[in-house]
Amino acid sequence: MQFGTWESAATVFVVLQATQFITGNAIEPLLTGARLALSPFMVVVAVFLGAFLWGIPGAFIGVPVLIVALTLCEQFPSSRPVAALLSGRDPDG
């Protein structure tokens, strides 16, 4: 109601939505993946899969579940290639 025209309000809305989309779908997964040694793609998949399976609470617990899976896979020699895929690292390195 503070804007003089509806175009100003629509412009603010579109800019905020674009910023949220870019931040949520590109920047945050890259930063989270780099900080947690996870593949950014797997971070996005974990959030979407968690949200698909359990709704909004699942979106919040998707990355912690991925971290648990990565930790468990790193503990056993037979599943270390899976851990390498989850982390985005070279399996030989």
Side-chain angles (χ1 to χ4, degrees):
M1 293 295 164
Q2 295 177 349
F3 299 104
T5 63
W6 68 270
E7 290 93 358
S8 300
T11 302
V12 170
F13 177 77
V14 168
V15 168
L16 289 175
Q17 291 301 316
T19 303
Q20 175 62 31
F21 180 80
I22 292 169
T23 302
N25 291 318
I27 296 171
E28 286 180 7
L30 286 173
L31 293 176
T32 303
R35 185 74 173 147
L36 297 174
L38 294 172
S39 168
F41 175 73
M42 290 307 299
V43 171
V44 172
V45 168
V47 170
F48 283 131
L49 185 63
F52 177 74
L53 293 175
W54 302 303
I56 292 175
F60 288 106
I61 65 170
V63 175
V65 168
L66 178 63
I67 293 169
V68 168
L70 175 66
T71 304
L72 288 174
C73 288
E74 284 179 341
Q75 298 302 314
F76 304 103
S78 62
S79 63
R80 285 200 181 119
V82 175
L85 286 173
L86 293 175
S87 67
R89 293 181 299 215
D90 184 20
D92 298 326

